[in-house]
């Protein structure tokens, strides 16, 4: 089978032909239909991601596909059923084997590209806003990087949860995408003062920040008392340094959040969330925005789109029979 393999950190991965995997005890083999790309894939290539597998390995964190075989002790999901799974790696290939407990069954007729685009981005936002920040109806949610892979889902889920959403992104085109996802107010980070703009709108109760750097600092200054700030990632490349005394003044809470980490110590948080999200997808309550769907031989082009921030929403790699 084909697999996009990394053999040395800092070098481009290459498509290789490797043996089709055999499911071990407790595993299922999945014929992959689609794989969502993530910023974490770029970090893995450089060896800087917190969960980078040992070399060599196959890239690709989140997939959708068809159950093809069971390992010993496994009887479900049934062979032939459609599923989604966050495997952490191994998704940019024709087949993969994963622990059956990590698999989320999909309703019949689910769009497989959308299911592959769903997990990390929507899962991150759903667990962060619901389980961690406990976003309430009527609160003001400020989303930084609001047209990016996770930011756009935070806009959409925030609206579903009844919040007033302020979307912050760079440029009119990206802001238009956030507006279409349900944002109530728009801030152009390329030319507007984020702190002043948010304060003029009454301040923020919850901040969703996958950007870091100066935007985090500006957002924190614009928070209302008892606001919660979700630190999701640092796409700017700048990890903000937080002065603890600034937190005391308004009784602020900064929440570190790594969605994938829950698979190691509380996997039911992720699997329960993905079941909810799969239902929302089937019901049409959420619609993953996929700016590019590319074949496996163009996976590096897809990663370049992420690196240069030329994509919006998700980039998905489709696997053909």
């Amino acid at each position: 089978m084909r697999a996009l393999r990394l053999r040395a950190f800092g070098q481009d991965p290459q498509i290789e032909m490797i043996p089709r995997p055999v499911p071990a005890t407790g595993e299922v083999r999945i014929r992959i239909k689609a794989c969502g790309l993530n910023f974490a894939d770029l970090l893995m290539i450089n060896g800087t991601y917190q969960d980078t597998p040992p070399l060599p390995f196959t890239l690709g964190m989140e997939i959708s596909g068809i159950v093809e075989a069971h390992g010993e002790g496994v009887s479900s999901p049934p062979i032939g059923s459609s599923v989604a799974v966050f495997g952490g790696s191994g998704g940019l290939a024709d087949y993969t084997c994963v622990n059956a407990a990590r698999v989320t069954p999909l309703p019949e007729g689910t769009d497989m590209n959308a299911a592959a685009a769903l997990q990390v981005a929507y899962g991150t936002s759903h667990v962060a806003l619901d389980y961690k920040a406990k976003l309430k109806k009527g609160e003001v949610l400020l989303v930084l990087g609001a047209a990016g892979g996770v930011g756009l889902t935070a806009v959409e889920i925030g609206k579903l949860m009844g919040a007033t959403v302020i979307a912050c992104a760079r440029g009119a085109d990206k802001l238009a995408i956030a507006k279409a996802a349900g944002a109530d107010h728009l801030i152009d980070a390329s030319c507007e003062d984020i702190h002043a703009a948010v304060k003029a709108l009454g301040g923020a109760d919850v901040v969703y920040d996958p950007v870091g750097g100066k935007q985090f600092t500006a957002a924190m200054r614009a928070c209302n008392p008892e606001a919660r700030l979700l630190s999701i990632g640092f796409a700017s490349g700048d990890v903000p340094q937080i002065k603890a005394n600034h937190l005391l003044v308004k009784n602020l809470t900064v929440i570190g959040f790594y969605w994938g980490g829950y698979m190691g110590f509380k996997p039911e948080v992720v699997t329960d969330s993905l079941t909810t999200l799969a239902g929302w997808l089937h019901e049409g309550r959420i619609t993953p925005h996929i700016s590019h769907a590319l074949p496996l031989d163009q996976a590096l082009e897809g990663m370049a789109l992420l690196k240069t921030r030329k994509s919006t929403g998700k980039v998905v790699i489709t696997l053909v029979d």
Side-chain angles (χ1 to χ4, degrees):
M1 71 171 194
R2 301 170 302 162
L4 188 71
R5 304 275 286 172
L6 185 71
R7 292 196 167 273
F9 294 127
Q11 296 184 8
D12 285 344
Q14 301 293 327
I15 295 177
E16 300 178 11
M17 296 299 296
I18 63 173
R20 185 181 303 186
V22 176
T25 299
E27 291 186 337
V28 297
R29 182 169 68 213
I30 297 172
R31 177 161 54 89
I32 299 171
K33 304 296 287 187
C35 178
L37 297 187
N38 293 276
F39 190 76
D41 291 309
L42 302 178
L43 299 179
M44 283 191 187
I45 291 172
N46 290 327
T48 57
Y49 189 60
Q50 59 263 33
D51 281 340
T52 300
L55 294 168
F57 66 90
T58 301
L59 290 155
M61 303 180 74
E62 54 181 337
I63 64 166
S64 63
I66 308 297
V67 176
E68 188 190 70
H70 291 155
E72 185 177 347
V74 177
S75 58
S76 65
I79 290 174
S81 59
S82 298
V83 297
V85 62
F86 173 76
S89 61
L92 288 169
D94 291 313
Y95 299 88
T96 190
C97 289
V98 297
N99 189 314
R102 299 179 73 147
V103 172
T104 300
L106 297 173
E108 185 176 350
T110 298
D111 180 280
M112 299 301 270
N113 279 5
L118 179 79
Q119 297 164 80
V120 173
Y122 280 89
T124 294
S125 293
H126 182 244
V127 177
L129 294 175
D130 183 50
Y131 181 77
K132 293 292 287 184
K134 297 180 173 24
L135 178 67
K136 302 179 185 68
K137 184 177 180 179
E139 289 190 311
V140 176
L141 168 66
L142 170 62
V143 180
L144 305 179
V150 292
L152 197 60
T153 66
V155 171
E156 196 173 356
I157 289 176
K159 285 300 294 180
L160 271 176
M161 293 178 68
T164 297
V165 179
I166 304 172
C168 182
R170 292 185 178 275
D173 291 345
K174 291 187 174 183
L175 287 172
I177 292 168
K179 179 70 173 177
D184 299 287
H185 305 285
L186 307 174
I187 298 174
D188 190 337
S190 66
C191 60
E192 293 187 65
D193 182 325
I194 295 173
H195 167 250
V198 174
K199 290 294 288 183
L201 292 169
D205 300 308
V206 174
V207 176
Y208 183 98
D209 177 26
V211 178
K214 294 180 180 179
Q215 290 195 26
F216 176 92
T217 303
M220 187 173 71
R221 293 177 58 221
C223 279
N224 293 326
E226 293 194 324
R228 291 88 74 202
L229 297 95
L230 289 155
S231 183
I232 306 294
F234 314 104
S236 67
D238 182 2
V239 179
Q241 302 303 302
I242 303 167
K243 294 183 177 180
N245 60 312
H246 290 187
L247 303 179
L248 302 185
V249 175
K250 295 182 181 178
N251 288 285
L252 303 180
T253 301
V254 177
I255 303 170
F257 181 71
Y258 168 43
W259 179 80
Y262 278 96
M263 295 305 296
F265 66 91
K266 196 180 283 187
E268 65 274 13
V269 170
V270 171
T271 54
D272 289 350
S273 172
L274 290 180
T275 298
T276 297
L277 292 169
W280 285 359
L281 176 65
H282 186 65
E283 295 164 5
R285 298 181 69 190
I286 53 176
T287 305
H289 175 80
I290 299 172
S291 64
H292 298 80
L294 304 170
L296 182 61
D297 60 7
Q298 294 181 33
L300 292 185
E301 295 175 31
M303 291 184 184
L305 290 169
L306 296 184
K307 188 174 184 178
T308 58
R309 301 185 187 180
K310 292 182 179 178
S311 62
T312 55
K314 292 290 290 188
V315 176
V316 170
I317 302 302
T318 58
L319 283 298
V320 296
D321 295 332

